[in-house]
Amino acid sequence: MAGNRSKNHEKHQAKMMELFTDEYFMREALKEANKALEIGEVPVGAVVVCKNRIIARAHNQTEKLTDATAHAEMLATTAAANYLGSKYLSECTLFVTLEPCVMCAGALHWVQLQKLVFGASDLQRGYSLVQTPLLHPRTEVVKGVKAGEAKALIDTFFRNIRDKSS
C-alpha cells in the first residue's frame, strides 16, 4: 500500500513539473501584455518566478504613470524585490514578452537575475543590439518562447495606431 502512495506521489510531482514550463509562465506574461493592450499601452507583459511561483506581475504603464521608465520589466522586478525583501533576484526568472531594452537589461544586471526568458526579439531597441554584454554574467537567457504570439500583440498595437492616424 505504501508503495502505491509513493508511486502516486511521484506521478503527481511529475505532472506538477509539467505545469511549470517556460511556455506556461510566458502565457502568464502574455496575459499581462493583453492588459497593456487593453489600456492603450505598448503590449509588453512580465512575470517574475521564484521556485516555480509567480511572485510579481506587471505590464507596460508608461502612459498611465506618465513615466518613460515604467516598462513591464522594471515594474515586475521592483515588485519582486519588494516581495522578497531583497534587491537581488538571483534565484528568480523573469518572463517577458518582448526582448528587454538597454535600460531594462541594465536593471536586470543590477538585480543579478538568474534567468531571463523572452518572447519576441526587439529589432529596434532590444539589448542584444548593443555589443557590450549588459546582463549579469551568470544570467541564463532563453529566447523565442511564444515569440509569434508576442509579436502578434505588438503588430496589432502598431496597426491600430496607424489605422487611427489614417
Side-chain angles (χ1 to χ4, degrees):
M1 186 75 168
N4 284 343
R5 256 186 278 194
S6 177
K7 284 182 184 178
N8 286 340
H9 179 73
E10 287 173 19
K11 284 182 185 178
H12 177 73
Q13 290 293 82
K15 278 189 177 186
M16 292 301 288
M17 290 309 291
E18 288 174 23
L19 285 177
F20 302 126
T21 62
D22 288 352
E23 290 76 15
Y24 170 81
F25 290 117
M26 188 59 75
R27 279 193 297 274
E28 294 300 308
L30 284 162
K31 289 177 186 177
E32 289 297 317
N34 274 300
K35 290 178 186 178
L37 184 64
E38 289 170 11
I39 62 171
E41 298 276 0
V42 177
V44 178
V47 296
V48 177
V49 175
C50 187
K51 298 176 183 164
N52 287 328
R53 183 171 178 215
I54 296 173
I55 62 169
R57 301 172 170 269
H59 53 274
N60 274 6
Q61 295 186 48
T62 59
E63 300 298 326
K64 179 180 179 181
L65 299 177
T66 319
D67 179 356
T69 68
H71 292 192
E73 303 94 309
M74 302 292 278
L75 298 172
T77 55
T78 298
N82 286 337
Y83 176 84
L84 294 172
S86 171
K87 64 183 180 180
Y88 299 118
L89 303 179
S90 55
E91 295 182 10
C92 298
T93 300
L94 173 69
F95 292 86
V96 61
T97 57
L98 184 66
E99 176 185 357
C101 70
V102 171
M103 173 188 70
C104 291
L108 297 177
H109 177 280
W110 292 115
V111 301
Q112 299 180 13
L113 188 70
Q114 179 179 30
K115 182 177 174 184
L116 167 65
V117 179
F118 67 84
S121 293
D122 186 341
L123 304 177
Q124 294 181 332
R125 293 198 168 49
Y127 78 91
S128 64
L129 296 172
V130 177
Q131 296 301 318
T132 305
L134 296 175
L135 297 174
H136 194 277
R138 288 190 299 266
T139 300
E140 176 188 347
V141 178
V142 177
K143 306 172 185 180
V145 177
K146 300 230 165 258
E149 291 176 46
K151 185 177 181 322
L153 281 174
I154 298 287
D155 291 347
T156 297
F157 175 79
F158 286 108
R159 189 176 325 108
N160 290 346
I161 288 175
R162 284 192 300 275
D163 290 349
K164 286 179 185 175
S165 65
S166 58

